[in-house]
Amino acid sequence: MLISTAMRFADWFRQQEGLTQEALAQRLGVTQGRIAQIIAGEMPSMRLAARISEITEGKVMPNDFLRLPPTTERAAS
C-alpha cells in the first residue's frame, strides 16, 4: 500500500500541537501559503524538502516527496 507523501507531511504537521502554518513557514523561511500548498500535496524544492527533514527530525525525508513507484531489486545473475 502506498501512502501519499503529502499525507505524511500533513499528518506530521497535524501532530504538532500548537504549531501553526505561519510559525512553520517562518522557521523554514517560506510563506504560510507555501506550507499550505505542500500540505495539500505540492512538491517542495529539494532544498526546502531538506529543511523540512531537519525540522521534522527525519520523520519526513526529502525522498518522501519524490512520488516514485515502488521498486523491486533483482539479484545479480
Side-chain angles (χ1 to χ4, degrees), residues 31-71:
T31 66
Q32 177 275 325
R34 186 66 184 122
I35 295 300
Q37 291 170 338
I38 297 167
I39 288 171
E42 288 191 25
M43 190 163 125
S45 68
M46 287 309 292
R47 186 176 193 181
L48 181 54
R51 284 287 297 134
I52 289 170
S53 179
E54 290 173 18
I55 298 254
T56 64
E57 298 176 343
K59 291 178 181 78
V60 179
M61 299 295 292
N63 286 345
D64 293 336
F65 291 99
L66 295 177
R67 300 184 186 112
L68 298 173
T71 60

Side-chain angles (χ1 to χ4, degrees), residues 4-47:
S4 160
T5 300
M7 284 301 296
R8 189 162 181 219
F9 178 67
D11 288 343
W12 174 86
F13 177 74
R14 287 183 187 107
Q15 292 172 2
Q16 308 310 302
E17 291 186 27
L19 181 63
T20 64
Q21 288 184 11
E22 184 64 36
L24 180 58
Q26 288 177 353
R27 288 177 67 188
L28 291 169
V30 297
T31 66
Q32 177 275 325
R34 186 66 184 122
I35 295 300
Q37 291 170 338
I38 297 167
I39 288 171
E42 288 191 25
M43 190 163 125
S45 68
M46 287 309 292
R47 186 176 193 181

